[in-house]
Amino acid sequence: MTATSYLNSVRASYDAVAVDYARLVGAGLARRPLDRAVLAAFAESLRGDGGRAVADLGCGPGRMTAHLDELGIRAFGVDLSPAMVAVARRSYPGLRFEVGSMAALDVADGVLGGVLAWYSTVHTPPSELPPLFAEFARVLAPGGQVLVAFEVGDERVRLDHAYGHPVELDVYRTPPDLIASLLAGAGLAETARLIREPVDGEPSPQGFLLARGAPPA
Ligand SMILES: C[S@@+](CC[C@H](N)C(=O)[O-])C[C@H]1O[C@@H](n2cnc3c(N)ncnc32)[C@H](O)[C@@H]1O
């Protein structure tokens, strides 16, 4: 698959599932205390970093943007799928959501306090992750922080059905060391990681990796 065709499939698939994804995944965080703990740590360290905005990249229906907002973080969402962005805007009218690709953000250099990529890099082939992480690094202020959530493993899984709809999606389960080294290649040094066992029928262990850019000189 070329870079363009995989993005077209991701966009079309998430456009098809947007409403049902929001309904089925919406309450999932309430049953995942470790995930909430990682997000709380991310939010707490951001609060100490001067209140810069945080981008929730691949925000889907906006549940994580809203969660960051509840944690006192000034967050906005970006997603490839117009239908996902429409759901997010309807669900959280007080927050900002834009259609866009996380590989080419409409954001100036060095302005964000943080970037959250919560299961949104999982459809990107690992070979395509370096330019994406370089884009994260470009928009972050010095010392800015990244949190990536992903499925742990070392395989590509083809989905032809998800959330009650036909889709055409690849999920790349990825070794945490690979995510860490690709982030490091973009100048984002790992600060912590959590690997937890699956819950609620998740198909693999789940990984959470925190990284940060070089601190201000
Ligand atoms: C598994 S969903 C996760 C959504 C949300 N982060 C959540 O946890 O509910 C993956 C989302 O990432 C978006 N996405 C995937 N690749 C993207 C890209 N290159 N740029 C922007 N959004 C992307 C998809 O459209 C989809 O909404």
Side-chain angles (χ1 to χ4, degrees):
M1 235 189 232
T2 65
T4 316
S5 69
Y6 96 78
L7 286 177
N8 287 340
S9 302
V10 170
R11 182 187 296 108
S13 296
Y14 278 101
D15 275 349
V17 306
V19 170
D20 288 311
Y21 177 97
R23 183 173 56 80
L24 293 167
V25 175
L29 204 54
R31 297 188 296 274
R32 289 168 172 76
L34 289 171
D35 303 18
R36 293 200 308 279
V38 172
L39 287 158
F42 179 60
E44 187 174 332
S45 50
L46 286 164
R47 279 197 297 270
D49 274 354
R52 289 178 182 272
V54 173
D56 177 11
L57 300 181
C59 62
R63 67 189 180 118
M64 306 308 302
T65 323
H67 188 73
L68 289 177
D69 180 66
E70 280 165 20
L71 293 172
I73 298 303
R74 194 156 57 87
F76 66 95
V78 176
D79 201 283
L80 207 52
S81 154
M84 279 295 200
V85 168
V87 171
R89 286 177 178 158
R90 252 195 328 272
S91 304
Y92 308 105
L95 298 178
R96 180 160 71 87
F97 298 97
E98 305 293 344
V99 176
S101 163
M102 64 176 119
L105 294 165
D106 186 13
V107 175
D109 293 359
V111 296
L112 298 182
V115 161
L116 176 67
W118 197 258
Y119 295 106
S120 52
T121 57
V122 297
H123 305 301
T124 302
S127 61
E128 303 287 331
L129 285 174
L132 210 143
F133 290 162
E135 184 68 349
F136 293 8
R138 179 187 71 76
V139 294
L140 282 172
Q145 309 197 47
V146 179
L147 171 54
V148 183
F150 56 101
E151 295 192 12
V152 174
D154 196 359
E155 60 193 324
R156 176 172 68 96
V157 179
R158 185 100 248 250
L159 298 182
D160 56 18
H161 212 82
Y163 312 104
H165 298 265
V167 295
E168 201 183 318
L169 277 177
D170 287 327
V171 176
Y172 295 89
R173 296 192 184 135
T174 313
D177 283 347
L178 179 58
I179 298 284
S181 77
L182 293 176
L183 284 167
L188 300 165
E190 176 177 354
T191 52
R193 70 172 76 179
L194 169 73
I195 314 299
R196 67 157 173 78
E197 290 304 308
V199 295
D200 259 356
E202 288 169 339
S204 69
Q206 308 292 301
F208 307 89
L209 208 144
L210 286 150
R212 113 177 271 168

